[in-house]
Amino acid sequence: MFKKSRSVCVCVCVSNTHHFCFHPSAWTHGDPRKVIYPTDSMGQYCGQGTLEKKPLLFYFNMMKCASPMVLLEFQCPTPQVCVEKCPNRTMTLVTAIGDKQDWEYYRSFCREDPGVKKSVPQILQEKLCPAYLISSKPFLQRCFPSLGKKGEVITVGDQETFNDGEKIRDAKDLVAGMKNATVVMEGRQVAMKIFEDYTKSWYWILICLLIAVVLSLIFIVLLRYLAGIMVWVMIVMVIAVVAYGIVHCSVKYVSLKDTPGANITLQQLGFQPDFSVYLHIRQTWLAFIIILAILEFIIIILLIFLRNRIRIAVELMKEASRAVGYVMSSLFYPIFTFFLLTIVIAYWGVTAVFLSTSSEPVYKVFNETVCPHARETCIPENFTLSKMKTDCPQSECLFAFYGGETPYHKYLIFLQFYNVFLFFWCANFVTALGQMTLAGAFASYYWAPNKTKDMPAFPLCASLGRSLRYHTGSLAFGSLILAIVQIIRVLLEYIDHKLKGAQNKFAKFLLCCMKCCFWCLEKFIKFLNRNAYIMVAIYGKNFCRSACDAFFLLMRNVIRVVVLDKVTDFILFLGKLLIVGLVGIFAFFFFSGHTDAFKGTAPSLHYYWVPILTVLVGSYFIAHGFFSVYAMCVDTLFLCFLEDLERNDGSPERPYLMSEKLLNVLKKKNQAN
């Protein structure tokens, strides 16, 4: 039944050749420090090399960061230096230079020591030192003014005004610069609070995820012995969990009826950084009730119309349970797949970082007055002797961004797309290897006349060996086709992002249609590849022949495909929903502190929804990993079952190889019996 495949192995070789042809440039020219450390006006990394003791970036004039050029070039048109600490005092150059102690402190924020002979105007003209210092705090390795509020008045360093060396200004004048130079203050506070919540609750999150693992294993073990009962109990419990959610939301909705301020609408409330505010609004709970009620209605309607088909799907799942029982090691195979995918993702991510940082520092002319050379590229080493400096005496050659004019730098975007393409190819290859390995193991169970004697001693290892030895070309070719479609989708998204400002409605419509078509094509290719790998595992034919055989076999049994296969997928999805729901309810009562039993144990959090959402997402992926083995088993047995029906007729010469229970469900029998 398992034959050697005449697959094309050149795909892997070509992949390796291309990979090591382009990416060494990224590893040679790339420097991740460009995205980790801030860069001063001379292109030096703060906190690195000779500036190791100066990890923070200081802006001479933060108000210059309010310039529109910041949004275009992501660089403030003001000198920037690396400093050891942010200034904790507010003073001007004029006042500091007259006091020996203040001047000693002040000149630590200068680009170079101006000495004692230069006057204040000369220092400012040469931009050796800032005109003023403002009390600041470090954020993202940069010094930003310490803004606060006294009532409705914005303050800096507890003062409502500051001296910029020329005149007295209001502290609010710094706000525009800070908005362009950093994230909005409220967003920063939310991010810091979320990070703090993770540091307090990470071990409890791991415990909840461990509970999800245990529940998934228990569910699978029970499903093996009590498949029929478990399926119906699972369906009832999912309905009960959703119903409980409706009841809980309804109780909350009613309890807030007489609460002051609870009847305002979400539109009136607007965006609030503290998301717990929304839970005190009745309309929030009403939205939850409507969403859960619609979900409950859809589940019940589907169950009513598919109840007879569910009985047939139960028998398939019982057979799959028995197959998994013979190949128990298959339950842990997703860990191996996850390990390989982690390697692929890590290599892609590191290569992407090196590619994005393989550019060179670009310096441009910055000038506060009108200058014909403004924003032109310059060389800082000879700028003082250049014609640009002669034409614009007040101008400076400052670091602007990382880029380059060489052919390598011009085609960096194409290398990034090539790196993404290789990521898709390798990730699809790893996924396909897992599908074919599981399919081979479960197919060996189905086609073995005597399950205990005719199956290999280690079916999963034997299947993995066959896949790697004989079917690598088939895996690579199928993964290549899928990767091509996926990279086209990425290109369409990139084009859509670039054309967001375009007003051509026909172009937008055409692009939307193309994105929709390629999304459907990707789904179809994934479905076809999955079944093609099963046929390769069964017969050992090449990918194209197997894909063709699988497609026509499914088309000849299209009703069975839609009903049996998809109903089984739906039941497995309900299993995921049940596990996520149970773990989610436990996490909600634990982290929210609404239950007295956990009040002394649960950590005090700013946003209790942070660990709850993490637990929900993690539980879903854990359940998905375990149930994907069952799904692959059902799909494999289903194709074997269809092949069995077409190849055999129950006669002594060609007996059915399916189990007696499946024969009874189909009302067929072997004549020999």
Side-chain angles (χ1 to χ4, degrees):
M1 189 59 61
F2 302 98
K3 301 177 182 178
K4 295 182 180 179
S5 170
R6 303 299 181 188
S7 305
V8 184
C9 295
V10 70
C11 300
V12 176
C13 300
V14 171
S15 170
N16 291 337
T17 303
H18 285 180
H19 190 73
F20 291 107
C21 177
F22 284 97
H23 286 175
S25 297
W27 292 86
T28 303
H29 300 289
D31 190 350
R33 293 182 300 174
K34 295 174 183 176
V35 295
I36 299 175
Y37 303 103
T39 308
D40 67 6
S41 297
M42 299 306 295
Q44 303 176 96
Y45 304 120
C46 296
Q48 294 292 294
T50 57
L51 301 175
E52 185 177 358
K53 295 183 179 180
K54 297 182 177 182
L56 304 174
L57 186 68
F58 172 73
Y59 298 88
F60 271 27
N61 189 351
M62 178 58 68
M63 289 185 293
K64 296 294 182 182
C65 296
S67 168
M69 294 307 298
V70 175
L71 301 177
L72 297 176
E73 299 180 350
F74 301 100
Q75 184 71 7
C76 292
T78 183
Q80 298 151 45
V81 295
C82 299
V83 296
E84 184 178 355
K85 295 179 181 179
C86 294
N88 55 12
R89 288 187 271 173
T90 300
M91 62 178 72
T92 64
L93 176 62
V94 176
T95 58
I97 205 168
D99 186 280
K100 184 177 180 181
Q101 188 175 359
D102 286 347
W103 176 240
E104 189 68 26
Y105 174 79
Y106 197 97
R107 65 182 181 181
S108 64
F109 299 94
C110 296
R111 297 169 66 180
E112 59 182 74
D113 192 350
V116 294
K117 295 183 179 180
K118 293 185 179 180
S119 62
V120 171
Q122 190 176 1
I123 293 174
L124 293 177
Q125 183 179 2
E126 296 179 10
K127 296 185 178 179
L128 299 178
C129 297
Y132 60 93
L133 295 181
I134 294 180
S135 178
S136 305
K137 290 182 179 179
F139 177 68
L140 296 177
Q141 298 175 285
R142 291 161 175 81
C143 296
F144 291 108
S146 306
L147 295 184
K149 273 190 175 183
K150 284 184 179 179
E152 296 297 322
V153 181
I154 296 176
T155 61
V156 56
D158 294 329
Q159 301 294 322
E160 297 178 8
T161 60
F162 69 97
N163 192 330
D164 69 349
E166 297 178 0
K167 61 180 181 179
I168 303 298
R169 289 182 176 270
D170 293 330
K172 64 181 180 180
D173 294 342
L174 293 167
V175 174
M178 288 192 66
K179 282 185 177 179
N180 280 350
T182 186
V183 295
V184 181
M185 293 177 65
E186 290 181 353
R188 178 183 67 183
Q189 292 172 359
V190 170
M192 295 300 292
K193 287 180 179 179
I194 290 176
F195 178 77
E196 186 178 346
D197 286 345
Y198 274 122
T199 60
K200 290 182 179 179
S201 61
W202 65 269
Y203 44 91
W204 295 110
I205 293 174
L206 290 180
I207 291 174
C208 290
L209 295 180
L210 183 61
I211 293 173
V213 172
V214 174
L215 286 177
S216 299
L217 287 172
I218 292 174
F219 182 84
I220 289 174
V221 171
L222 291 177
L223 198 61
R224 177 186 174 189
Y225 299 103
L226 304 168
I229 297 174
M230 283 295 298
V231 166
W232 291 110
V233 168
M234 177 186 61
I235 292 172
V236 172
M237 288 188 68
V238 168
I239 294 175
V241 167
V242 179
Y244 172 79
I246 296 174
V247 171
H248 179 79
C249 294
S250 301
V251 171
K252 284 287 186 181
Y253 179 76
V254 173
S255 65
L256 291 172
K257 182 177 181 181
D258 299 324
T259 304
N263 292 314
I264 66 172
T265 63
L266 295 173
Q267 186 176 6
Q268 291 173 335
L269 183 62
F271 173 76
Q272 298 294 328
D274 186 1
F275 293 100
S276 62
V277 173
Y278 294 104
L279 299 180
H280 298 285
I281 306 301
R282 296 187 74 202
Q283 196 176 78
T284 302
W285 295 103
L286 179 61
F288 289 158
I289 293 171
I290 295 173
I291 293 171
L292 291 175
I294 293 174
L295 180 62
E296 186 88 330
F297 176 77
I298 292 174
I299 292 174
I300 292 174
I301 291 297
L302 287 175
L303 291 175
I304 291 174
F305 284 99
L306 298 177
R307 63 187 186 279
N308 292 326
R309 304 299 182 184
I310 289 175
R311 295 192 185 100
I312 301 175
V314 165
E315 294 303 324
L316 261 179
M317 293 192 67
K318 285 183 178 180
E319 187 67 20
S321 300
R322 286 188 283 272
V324 171
Y326 277 93
V327 194
M328 284 297 291
S329 57
S330 61
L331 291 175
F332 301 97
Y333 186 84
I335 298 176
F336 178 66
T337 301
F338 176 77
F339 173 73
L340 294 179
L341 284 175
T342 302
I343 295 175
V344 171
I345 293 172
Y347 185 76
W348 164 77
V350 172
T351 304
V353 169
F354 271 87
L355 273 174
S356 61
T357 58
S358 59
S359 49
E360 300 172 347
V362 175
Y363 300 87
K364 291 201 172 186
V365 177
F366 289 94
N367 197 58
E368 297 183 8
T369 57
V370 178
C371 175
H373 304 291
R375 314 306 169 192
E376 290 185 11
T377 305
C378 58
I379 302 174
E381 286 77 9
N382 59 6
F383 180 72
T384 54
L385 304 176
S386 66
K387 186 176 183 299
M388 297 178 182
K389 184 68 173 178
T390 305
D391 295 343
C392 306
Q394 301 294 326
S395 64
E396 279 197 289
C397 183
L398 301 179
F399 168 78
F401 54 85
Y402 288 104
E405 302 296 332
T406 65
Y408 171 77
H409 294 103
K410 289 181 179 179
Y411 292 105
L412 267 179
I413 183 65
F414 298 103
L415 295 180
Q416 285 284 20
F417 274 113
Y418 180 77
N419 187 42
V420 173
F421 169 72
L422 286 182
F423 165 72
F424 285 142
W425 194 357
C426 294
N428 292 333
F429 181 88
V430 171
T431 304
L433 177 63
Q435 292 174 344
M436 186 177 290
T437 300
L438 291 172
F442 294 130
S444 66
Y445 163 84
Y446 186 94
W447 297 110
N450 190 320
K451 311 300 183 188
T452 56
K453 295 181 180 179
D454 297 334
M455 280 189 64
F458 302 99
L460 194 67
C461 294
S463 179
L464 178 60
R466 286 194 302 270
S467 300
L468 291 175
R469 183 177 180 183
Y470 301 120
H471 309 313
T472 307
S474 296
L475 294 171
F477 186 66
S479 304
L480 173 65
I481 296 173
L482 183 57
I484 291 173
V485 175
Q486 289 172 331
I487 197 64
I488 292 175
R489 289 193 63 201
V490 171
L491 287 170
L492 291 175
E493 291 292 341
Y494 178 76
I495 295 172
D496 185 33
H497 176 73
K498 289 294 184 181
L499 296 179
K500 269 189 176 179
Q503 302 297 322
N504 192 328
K505 293 185 177 180
F506 177 76
K508 290 183 178 179
F509 171 76
L510 185 62
L511 193 60
C512 182
C513 291
M514 292 180 66
K515 288 165 63 176
C516 180
C517 291
F518 277 97
W519 179 85
C520 295
L521 181 61
E522 181 184 354
K523 294 296 180 184
F524 173 74
I525 290 177
K526 283 184 177 180
F527 173 77
L528 187 61
N529 280 8
R530 183 183 179 92
N531 290 281
Y533 297 142
I534 295 174
M535 296 299 285
V536 171
I538 295 173
Y539 291 109
K541 299 177 182 178
N542 61 43
F543 176 82
C544 295
R545 178 72 179 275
S546 298
C548 184
D549 291 344
F551 177 76
F552 287 111
L553 177 63
L554 294 173
M555 289 300 101
R556 290 194 297 270
N557 299 273
V558 64
I559 297 178
R560 283 175 174 156
V561 171
V562 174
V563 175
L564 297 179
D565 191 36
K566 295 311 169 186
V567 168
T568 305
D569 288 344
F570 175 68
I571 292 174
L572 291 178
F573 172 74
L574 290 182
K576 298 175 191 176
L577 199 63
L578 174 64
I579 291 174
V580 172
L582 290 175
V583 178
I585 289 174
F586 172 78
F588 173 78
F589 281 113
F590 181 82
F591 289 110
S592 64
H594 289 177
T595 305
D596 295 335
F598 300 128
K599 278 190 176 178
T601 309
S604 177
L605 304 173
H606 298 288
Y607 308 117
Y608 64 80
W609 52 264
V610 171
I612 293 175
L613 285 179
T614 306
V615 167
L616 287 174
V617 174
S619 300
Y620 176 81
F621 281 112
I622 288 172
H624 176 75
F626 282 102
F627 289 165
S628 64
V629 175
Y630 252 103
M632 196 67 205
C633 183
V634 171
D635 289 346
T636 302
L637 296 184
F638 182 56
L639 273 183
C640 293
F641 160 74
L642 295 179
E643 278 287 301
D644 196 7
L645 286 176
E646 291 197 355
R647 290 172 47 191
N648 303 315
D649 55 10
S651 64
E653 295 79 16
R654 292 188 297 167
Y656 293 116
L657 293 176
M658 67 185 74
S659 67
E660 290 295 329
K661 293 186 177 181
L662 271 176
L663 284 172
N664 293 334
V665 171
L666 296 170
K667 297 180 180 179
K668 294 180 180 291
K669 62 181 180 179
N670 285 320
Q671 295 178 13
N673 296 335

